[in-house]
Amino acid sequence: MSNLFDRIWWSRLQAMTWKELLQLMRDPILLVFVLYAFSADIYNAASGVSFQLNNAALVLFDLDRSAASRELAGRFMPPEFRWAGAITHASQGQKMLDDGKAMAVLDIPPDFSERLARGDTASVQMQIDASNSVQGFLAAVDATQIVARYGLEQTAQRLGVGVGGAGGNLDAPLINNQTRVWFNPNQNDAWFMGISELLNVITLFSMLLPAAAMVREKERGTIEQLLVSPLSPWQIMIPKIVAMVAVILGGTALGLFGILVPVFAVPVAGSLLLFFVLTTLYVSTLAGIGILIATMTRNMAQAGMMVILIIAPMMFLSGAWTPPEAMPALMRLGMYVSPLYYYINASYGILMKGAGISVLWPMFAGIFLIGVLVSMTTIVRFKKQFA
């Protein structure tokens, strides 16, 4: 008798899962949106977003007009900087900054070379448009390094000390600074941004697709038919989660093996099986949140707004945009209830660092515990709404 019951239970689950997939296939707009997000959107993020300074327009205001000033100005080279011309009056530089035609103005005073020749302190001024605070900060850091290197070489030349392999006549202690970058030695932004966008797309659709599937049942009036059928709440809810997990895993494979690996040579250092197990666990957790959203809303517009309301703080608390160390103490506590925090850490650990389950088990445990709490809340809410 129990075997017969089990066969009936699983056959119903299979039929309901197939029904959910068929309903999704009959929505061409949503399908196109899913395909775009897992392909073109990931490509645009990996190819068009960079955290490095690139082609910052620089204007020269050289009042010294000496060999020393020209040598310093020549240090500001592509790809970080590009010269946007020279000016003869300070007001011209201010106007170009205001008009957005220049990002920075390098101001060299008239006694620059004379002070260097005497061994005195010589200063230059750089005005930076910091309306884009990130780019402004990068421009200031790069400019500081260039000027500091130039000043060090001038001092070493005057004292007869070799710098950076240059010849010198004076023995002096030297600090050899060697930087080693792990996991992304070329500091390729496409690797980080591509994986980050893939994880964000997975997060969005993990909530949106199950919520849309459930809300459609309400809008079409078929939810009442399901409730009077010999199906339990679990048999109504689980197929929606299983179907959407299958769709999102397919999209994940498309984004990873169709865009990131072949186009941008993103390395996969760890186990792909472990990554897809992690993704299945994460998508199932967020699918429960999506169905919970559907029990609180009446139409697709409300469901979409609720998804945005939840996903925005989840991303801010994930550590992807702001390092956890830079967050206030209260925000760091909230970070531990964001499943995206655990998913991002585990995904980068698997794909780029080659970490295994022995290292990442706390991340798996965090997602699992959140998923259990979400599932219990969702099923209670589901039963209460349609009691």
XYZ file of all heavy atoms in Angstrom, residues 1 5 153 232 312 361 363 366 370:
73
model
N 0.832 -1.212 0.000
C 0.000 0.000 0.000
C 0.864 1.258 0.000
O 0.586 2.212 -0.707
C -0.916 -0.005 1.230
C -1.956 1.103 1.223
S -3.220 0.819 -0.027
C -4.268 2.232 0.253
N 1.189 4.305 -2.772
C 1.098 5.716 -2.396
C 2.326 6.492 -2.867
O 2.203 7.622 -3.370
C 0.950 5.823 -0.877
C 0.907 7.247 -0.382
C -0.250 8.008 -0.475
C 2.046 7.831 0.174
C -0.278 9.323 -0.028
C 2.026 9.136 0.621
C 0.868 9.889 0.525
N 63.551 59.374 -7.868
C 64.610 59.285 -8.872
C 65.449 60.558 -8.916
O 66.675 60.499 -9.086
C 63.992 58.994 -10.240
C 63.387 57.606 -10.358
C 62.807 57.346 -11.724
O 62.894 58.249 -12.597
O 62.244 56.248 -11.931
N -1.470 17.966 -2.138
C -1.127 18.628 -0.886
C -0.409 19.938 -1.192
O 0.064 20.153 -2.321
C -0.212 17.722 -0.060
O 1.037 17.561 -0.711
N 17.475 44.161 -3.139
C 18.390 45.297 -3.007
C 19.186 45.242 -1.699
O 20.427 45.265 -1.733
C 17.611 46.614 -3.124
N 32.299 24.413 4.079
C 31.092 23.861 4.707
C 30.318 24.891 5.528
O 29.076 24.800 5.591
C 31.441 22.637 5.550
C 32.218 22.925 6.801
C 33.565 22.879 6.956
C 31.681 23.310 8.066
N 33.921 23.219 8.231
C 32.780 23.481 8.944
C 30.398 23.524 8.555
C 32.620 23.870 10.270
C 30.233 23.910 9.871
C 31.337 24.074 10.716
N 29.650 27.911 4.699
C 28.809 28.620 3.728
C 27.617 27.752 3.304
O 26.484 28.236 3.199
C 29.639 29.021 2.503
C 30.859 29.845 2.845
S 30.428 31.375 3.700
C 32.004 31.823 4.403
N 25.199 27.720 6.205
C 24.435 28.957 6.324
C 23.275 29.008 5.351
O 22.145 29.368 5.724
N 19.153 28.835 6.389
C 18.219 29.861 5.914
C 17.129 29.223 5.066
O 15.948 29.578 5.161
C 18.976 30.939 5.123
C 19.926 31.711 6.047
C 17.996 31.914 4.463
C 20.813 32.701 5.329
